[in-house]
């Protein structure tokens, strides 16, 4: 019987040590009394949150989807210059190439310059 009591004491000591790493500790009841300032702040924050929620909801519900298509009338010889700098460490240049394709299907393979 004495041995079991000693084992329970060690177990209780282990649980006591676990409480030391508790990140969500409870605040004692005597420190949680409400104040008028806290009530006003809570009500103000709640009202602001509801206003933001309902304004976002009304904006979402009142939006009208729109489709628009623009035709590019620039000469087809003009090309858009895209500059990018990518470094591949420990890969020989002979194995690296760039292919491009536009929305109309024009493709260029092994683009350089």
């Amino acid at each position: 019987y004495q041995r079991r009591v000693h084992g329970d004491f060690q177990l209780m000591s282990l649980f006591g040590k676990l409480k030391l790493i508790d990140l969500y500790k409870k605040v004692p009841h005597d420190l949680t009394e409400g104040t008028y300032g806290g009530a006003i702040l809570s009500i103000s924050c709640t009202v602001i949150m509801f206003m933001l929620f309902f304004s976002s909801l009304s904006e979402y519900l009142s939006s009208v989807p729109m489709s628009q298509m623009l035709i590019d009338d620039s000469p087809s010889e003009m090309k858009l210059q895209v500059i990018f700098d990518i470094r591949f460490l420990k890969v020989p240049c002979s194995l690296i190439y760039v292919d491009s394709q536009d929305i109309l299907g024009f493709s260029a393979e092994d683009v350089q310059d």
Side-chain angles (χ1 to χ4, degrees), residues 31-95:
L31 297 176
T32 59
E33 61 184 63
T35 61
Y36 290 116
I40 291 171
L41 182 64
S42 297
I43 291 169
S44 305
C45 289
T46 303
V47 168
I48 290 171
M49 284 190 289
F50 275 108
M51 287 173 47
L52 288 171
F53 173 75
F54 284 115
S55 68
S56 294
L57 181 65
S58 69
E59 182 70 27
Y60 172 74
L61 293 176
S62 67
S63 63
V64 177
M66 184 187 338
S67 252
Q68 185 176 12
M69 185 172 88
L70 300 173
I71 298 175
D72 183 17
D73 57 356
S74 63
S76 61
E77 293 84 29
M78 290 181 57
K79 294 183 180 179
L80 177 66
Q81 182 179 6
V82 178
I83 300 172
F84 58 94
D85 184 15
I86 301 175
R87 297 169 194 241
F88 294 97
L89 302 176
K90 298 184 181 179
V91 177
C93 292
S94 61
L95 296 178

Side-chain angles (χ1 to χ4, degrees), residues 86-106:
I86 301 175
R87 297 169 194 241
F88 294 97
L89 302 176
K90 298 184 181 179
V91 177
C93 292
S94 61
L95 296 178
I96 298 174
Y97 61 93
V98 176
D99 292 342
S100 73
Q101 181 174 1
D102 65 4
I103 197 165
L104 297 175
F106 174 75

Side-chain angles (χ1 to χ4, degrees), residues 22-39:
D22 184 10
L23 297 177
Y24 303 102
K25 296 179 181 174
K26 292 185 178 181
V27 177
H29 288 290
D30 58 339
L31 297 176
T32 59
E33 61 184 63
T35 61
Y36 290 116

Side-chain angles (χ1 to χ4, degrees), residues 1-15:
Y1 178 75
Q2 192 69 295
R3 190 176 192 187
R4 179 179 165 108
V5 170
H6 182 66
D8 287 344
F9 179 71
Q10 285 179 342
L11 187 62
M12 292 300 287
S13 174
L14 178 65
F15 284 129

